[in-house]
Amino acid sequence: MHVGTVVSLLACLGLSSAQVITRDVTVIGGGSAGTYAAVNLRERNRTVAVIEKSGRLGGHTDTYFDAATGTHVDFGVLFYENLTVVHDYFSHFGIPLTTVPPGGGEAQRIDLRYGTPVDASQGNVTDALSRYAAQLLQYPYLAVGFDLPDPVPEDLTLPFGEFVQKHDLGAVVDVIFSYGQGVGDLLQLPTIYVMKYISLEVLDAMQNGFLQTTNHNNGALYVGAAEQLAADIFFNSTVVSMDRDSDPEWVHIEIKTPDGRQNIRTKQVISAIPPTLDNLDGYDLDEVEQGLFGLFSSSSYYTALARIDGLPAEVTAINRANDTEYNLPPLPGVYVVTPTAVPGLYSILYGSEDFISEHNVKDAMSQAVQHLNGSNPEYMAYEAHAPFELRVSPDDIANGFYQDLNALQGRRRTYYTGAAFDAHDSSRIWRFTETLLQRMQVKQ
């Protein structure tokens, strides 16, 4: 396209060339997926712009710094699986990793509705884990993304509770629930999502240890990325409009920034935000995209750090119930209250199917703590992770939803990544994003 043609087109769009910045790729979302994509695109000598609605990178990664003790405390993303992409990414920023031994401190099973003890889970967990692993091995295509066959195996669309009964996995439900926090009603969740979240890599880490930053500061990864990407990041910014069709060579995006409107023309777009219709409000979605993204539903997940007086040091309170199937706690509710490296500072995790206000979540957390020891927690940090665990119905899965979703990759010069395209797991999100970037390189 000639320069004069570009200027004329911009004029038709109501833009001037002086207002427009040009990039090879524009990444929308600076969470785990978007940050990884932007950093690695730069390594591939591609120019990038990152549009991030908050004032920081990292998404679900939350790190608190306790000034009194000089200690970092992660309370969003905690651990990583032992994957090459994880080692390479942290090594890129010179951040050392260590292996967290399996097991942990003492755990008490308590019904946090009442403060009463709960029976230990029953059955042979080791044997049940082996049976679960054998099931995972039947679906190697779940390793990266949702590259499903046609027809989709019926077992993958079963509610997980039915899948458990069918394959005698009752003894492992408690363990899977402990590692699958945030997904909502585990027993009603289609089995495919449980298998994506509790993968073979996670089973390996349960036995051999997860990876963790040596100083418990996962946020350092995103501080390093922000320094490297620098002026290419538009913080506190959102997409106002997008035009992927008018110009045969460029996608045109208008964003709202704290300094006013900014226009970007870009060869390609990577959308790295949860693909709900609300989140994609500024996109020029066509009927196909609207139809697919409108099928997603989700759960909500909340994390907090609180100072709590009088709890025994090193004791983790796991919320369970004596009057429910597999002793799983009713939701909405607290998952666990866990001591941190800072004396008297505890992590509290809470889950629900629907979004709940911060006031109501903290009130419910406080009631649970009061059932532990009668004290009132003092909240030091809080984050709402919603939407969380995007999913579609079993019928949609069986009817080819993920085949249709995968067909969007590269369509209208747009690529998609993030938890909805693999799992709510940073390690796997990075691996998926790496495969996506390789595919984009081929299509240049």
Side-chain angles (χ1 to χ4, degrees), residues 161-206:
E162 294 183 21
F163 181 83
V164 165
Q165 293 180 356
K166 180 177 179 179
H167 297 286
D168 189 22
L169 300 174
V172 82
V173 170
D174 188 88
V175 174
I176 287 177
F177 183 81
S178 295
Y179 285 91
Q181 295 165 356
V183 302
D185 188 342
L186 177 73
L187 299 179
Q188 291 303 312
L189 193 67
T191 295
I192 188 172
Y193 298 115
V194 180
M195 287 187 160
K196 291 293 292 181
Y197 208 177
I198 312 301
S199 62
L200 287 169
E201 292 91 347
V202 170
L203 295 188
D204 177 75
M206 288 181 195

Side-chain angles (χ1 to χ4, degrees), residues 22 45 54 58-59 64 72 75 88 95 124-125 130 144 181 230 244 320 330 337 347 392 440:
T22 300
N45 296 315
S54 74
Y64 172 80
H72 289 94
F75 68 105
D88 290 348
I95 299 172
N124 189 315
V125 175
S130 296
V144 181
Q181 295 165 356
R244 291 177 284 171
R320 293 295 186 267
V337 180
S347 166
V392 296
M440 291 176 65

Side-chain angles (χ1 to χ4, degrees), residues 39-111:
V39 167
N40 283 273
L41 283 166
R42 285 274 295 267
E43 288 295 297
R44 290 168 162 85
N45 296 315
R46 309 288 295 281
T47 60
V48 300
V50 179
I51 304 167
E52 168 52 41
K53 70 177 181 179
S54 74
R56 67 174 182 88
L57 300 178
H60 294 295
T61 300
D62 301 307
T63 302
Y64 172 80
F65 180 69
D66 183 71
T69 61
T71 303
H72 289 94
V73 179
D74 290 315
F75 68 105
V77 176
L78 301 179
F79 307 116
Y80 307 92
E81 287 90 82
N82 189 15
L83 302 178
T84 299
V85 69
V86 175
H87 288 280
D88 290 348
Y89 196 24
F90 280 96
S91 177
H92 175 80
F93 292 102
I95 299 172
L97 295 170
T98 188
T99 300
V100 182
E106 180 184 352
Q108 294 182 356
R109 298 164 60 85
I110 300 173
D111 190 329

